[in-house]
Amino acid sequence: MRSRHKLRFRLVVSFALFGFGLSALFAVTLFKIRSRIEDQLINNSLLNQVDNLNAQVRANPGRAPRVDMIRAWSWGISKLHKAPLAWQHLASGVHDITETNASGQIRHYKLAVKRLGGVVSFIRYDVTREEQGKRQLMAYVIIAVFLFGLLSLAIGLWLSRKVVKPVMDLAGRLREARKVQKVELLAPHFADDEVGELAQALDAYAERLTAMVERDREFNSDVSHELRTPLAVIVSTTELMQDSSDLTPKLIERLKRIERAARQATELIEALLWLSRAERRGMAQGETTDVGKVARDVIENQYPQVRSKPISIELSLNSQVNVYAPNSVLAVALTNLIGNAIKYTLKGSVRIEVGQGRVEVIDTGSGIGYGDAERLFQRGFRGGNATGSGAGLGLAIVRRLCDLYGWKVSMRPRMDVHGTIASIVFDQEAAPRTTAQEKKSSIQ
């Protein structure tokens, strides 16, 4: 799982945790070593004292022994019953004893025992003070670890600023370049180190990518521009041919189909030119377009696709919707949505509803899967229910055009019957809507 925190934050936390952990480990180790050494020294001292006590008693039974410890006892085996009951069966060595005195206080002792030559010697040493000292030392150690943790945090903050500053500067320059949509060389602003190498690599990548994108855009613009002339010739020629008096109705209908196809190709070229210019130079203010009128024209152009299929096409204008976009851009978007609805509907109806700042294309076709709803707008993707030929580029172009003008395009399956609902929600701040009386028209 990738961390969502910034690099500097992770460095500071890592350094603070490392410093705190190292300080805590050192403090605990030091405390353990000190306790072990202290315990060994006390035990050795007690063993030496009890050995000396036992030797003195055995050498001079009637003389009081000299010991450095305050509490010392020696009894012969026959008088061992005078010793406390808990001591009588202890073997030679040092034992840890816990007792409760008359006032109810718990005391901790070390009891050294020596059994030799019929004499049993005891020396008791109170370690309560040493334990209090250990507790005080532990408190000091905890405070020291806490202080060292704060010091590590402060050092981490200072070092992270020094270490991460070039990376943060690089990220800031990339953010600024993305905002202003302008490529600026990064390498001159950084030293000849790893960050400088990264900046050089980004500069080289940006240069290659900019050249490639600019070359593709220029190619698309040139091709689209050159295609407009022959298409204009086709349109004008078909119009002139339709004025001839010796044409049969069937031939006139075929000429109209050629004219509609040429006009549709012209609209597509104009939309692609708008897209190419806007992506290169930024958005330009377009004319105001009536969505209902464009939808009506698109339906008329798409009506030949119906042929003999038992479907009806209905246009419902619930309110007038105007958008600030060229007529060709909206025509291309609606042509793809309405054309797909007619293409994949074998029987039933295709209903186009305009109003409330949106346009919806509702059909009773084969429908789409829930997982395909968003992927349909990817280049080259065709849904599982798609039939016939197609490159899967139409909806991708629609998505690009809608993104350019701030519209939201989506597709979803119908819940009541088989079919699909394709919708475009317009940016009402950029395209104000005026309400009119409800209009409905049906093209059968």
Side-chain angles (χ1 to χ4, degrees), residues 333-404:
L334 292 182
T335 297
N336 276 278
L337 298 183
I338 297 175
N340 283 341
I342 296 174
K343 179 179 180 181
Y344 296 112
T345 302
L346 300 181
K347 62 179 180 178
S349 64
V350 175
R351 188 170 75 256
I352 298 92
E353 295 185 354
V354 178
Q356 303 298 321
R358 67 173 61 209
V359 58
E360 289 189 340
V361 181
I362 307 170
D363 63 59
T364 57
S366 56
I368 59 174
Y370 285 98
D372 294 342
E374 183 62 26
R375 298 179 63 193
L376 287 171
F377 295 98
Q378 298 177 4
R379 291 178 61 86
F381 180 81
R382 304 183 71 216
N385 298 329
T387 58
S389 60
L393 299 179
L395 292 179
I397 295 175
V398 173
R399 169 60 64 83
R400 289 178 62 192
L401 291 172
C402 291
D403 290 343
L404 180 64

Side-chain angles (χ1 to χ4, degrees), residues 3 23 80 88 92 104 170 196 231 256-257 297 342 377 408:
S3 174
S23 301
L80 187 59
Q88 295 178 10
S92 297
L170 178 61
L231 286 173
K256 288 182 178 180
R257 291 184 61 182
D297 295 339
I342 296 174
F377 295 98
K408 295 181 181 179

Side-chain angles (χ1 to χ4, degrees), residues 258-290:
I258 294 174
E259 181 185 358
R260 284 195 296 265
R263 292 187 184 277
Q264 184 177 346
T266 303
E267 290 176 347
L268 178 59
I269 290 173
E270 290 179 356
L272 292 178
L273 281 173
W274 274 103
L275 186 63
S276 178
R277 294 193 194 104
E279 288 181 344
R280 189 190 305 113
R281 305 188 185 98
M283 275 288 296
Q285 188 70 29
E287 68 267 19
T288 301
T289 302
D290 186 348

